[in-house]
Amino acid sequence: MPADTTEDVRARGEGVSRQVAVLPVGSFEQHGPYLPLATDTLVACAVAREIAAAYPVHLLPPVTISCSHEHAAWAGTVSISSVTLHSVIRDIASSLRRSGVETLVVVNGHGGNYVLGNVVQESSARGERMALFPAPEDWEAAREQAGVVTSLLTDMHAGEIETSILLHAHPEFVRPGYAASDFVADDRRHLLTLGMSAYTDSGVIGRPSLGSAEKGKALLASLADSFGTYFSLLTSDGDSARG
């Protein structure tokens, strides 16, 4: 949770041309037997903290439950509708604008939150400043720089990337068993119709055995570097700044 006071936010705003808020959005869904249900929230928060350490942004607390319907077959998974998530993000952005923070960056930790792209598209079309981070290209650059072996296609859920980030940021939450849980299912064309349970018994799709704290640290550092372009775009003047 962010520890800022209202005075911290006011002082930070005085030093920038345009205030940028960063909102982590995670999920509460199964991540196999060795990663917690809150994995996506922990990942989104780790990325957001790395951003806040490098740029003058207003770090918000996370949205912890989102669109995890494809994981409903596993105990503990909780979802809200895409309509609800859409409304939550719009309400947060509107509230921020009323308090003088014009720009919102949504840091998404869950691939199933497809609606977040629509929120950003619609907001940008209205002339509001919003962005979704990281893009697939940012994850690909981070994967390469960190030496992650598994492709983004294969590393779908509870794999090398997520295990690495948690081993770095929250090793206390990683339980034994990830080293023997690799499972590959690259052809998932009916995922939205059938859900994850049609493709994996364990809930894992990826190679968590290759995860390491060192890779997790490098992944976060690369993502923070990639965020620089977003920050420049969103804080610049003119129509080109619409993100």
Side-chain angles (χ1 to χ4, degrees):
M1 295 292 290
D4 281 350
T5 67
T6 187
E7 294 303 320
D8 293 331
V9 177
R10 182 176 291 113
R12 188 183 303 113
E14 292 174 352
V16 295
S17 59
R18 182 172 286 108
Q19 290 197 70
V20 177
V22 172
L23 174 68
V25 178
S27 71
F28 199 72
E29 64 186 34
Q30 70 84 20
H31 275 76
Y34 51 86
L35 294 183
L37 294 161
T39 290
D40 288 342
T41 300
L42 294 169
V43 168
C45 286
V47 174
R49 284 196 307 270
E50 199 81 8
I51 289 170
Y55 304 90
V57 299
H58 178 28
L59 181 60
L60 300 173
V63 175
T64 58
I65 296 176
S66 60
C67 302
S68 300
H69 311 283
E70 70 273 28
H71 298 277
W74 280 272
T77 297
V78 182
S79 291
I80 57 177
S81 72
S82 61
V83 174
T84 299
L85 183 57
H86 190 292
S87 295
V88 167
I89 303 304
R90 283 199 61 184
D91 284 354
I92 290 171
S94 178
S95 178
L96 286 165
R97 289 193 298 273
R98 288 195 296 273
S99 67
V101 181
E102 300 177 43
T103 303
L104 176 63
V105 177
V106 178
V107 175
N108 182 33
H110 172 48
N113 288 336
Y114 309 112
V115 70
L116 295 178
N118 299 118
V119 178
V120 173
Q121 286 178 324
E122 294 164 13
S123 298
S124 298
R126 289 192 297 269
E128 300 161 6
R129 291 175 182 256
M130 191 182 292
L132 182 61
F133 182 82
E137 293 84 357
D138 301 313
W139 278 117
E140 181 61 24
R143 185 188 71 81
E144 292 178 357
Q145 292 183 33
V148 170
V149 176
T150 316
S151 70
L152 294 181
L153 173 65
T154 299
D155 197 59
M156 188 261 185
H157 194 70
E160 186 177 359
I161 287 176
E162 289 184 320
T163 301
S164 292
I165 290 177
L166 260 67
L167 284 171
H168 166 65
H170 293 287
E172 70 277 14
F173 292 150
V174 181
R175 299 189 183 186
Y178 68 90
S181 295
D182 291 4
F183 183 78
V184 174
D186 285 351
D187 186 347
R188 304 183 296 269
R189 70 187 71 189
H190 302 299
L191 177 66
L192 297 181
T193 302
L194 300 175
M196 281 281 288
S197 60
Y199 295 96
T200 170
D201 293 330
S202 67
V204 179
I205 296 180
R207 296 191 178 97
S209 68
L210 301 177
S212 71
E214 293 74 20
K215 290 177 182 177
K217 182 178 181 179
L219 284 162
L220 294 176
S222 176
L223 291 173
D225 287 342
S226 294
F227 185 78
T229 302
Y230 292 76
F231 187 78
S232 297
L233 177 69
L234 293 168
T235 56
S236 64
D237 293 323
D239 290 340
S240 62
R242 292 180 180 175

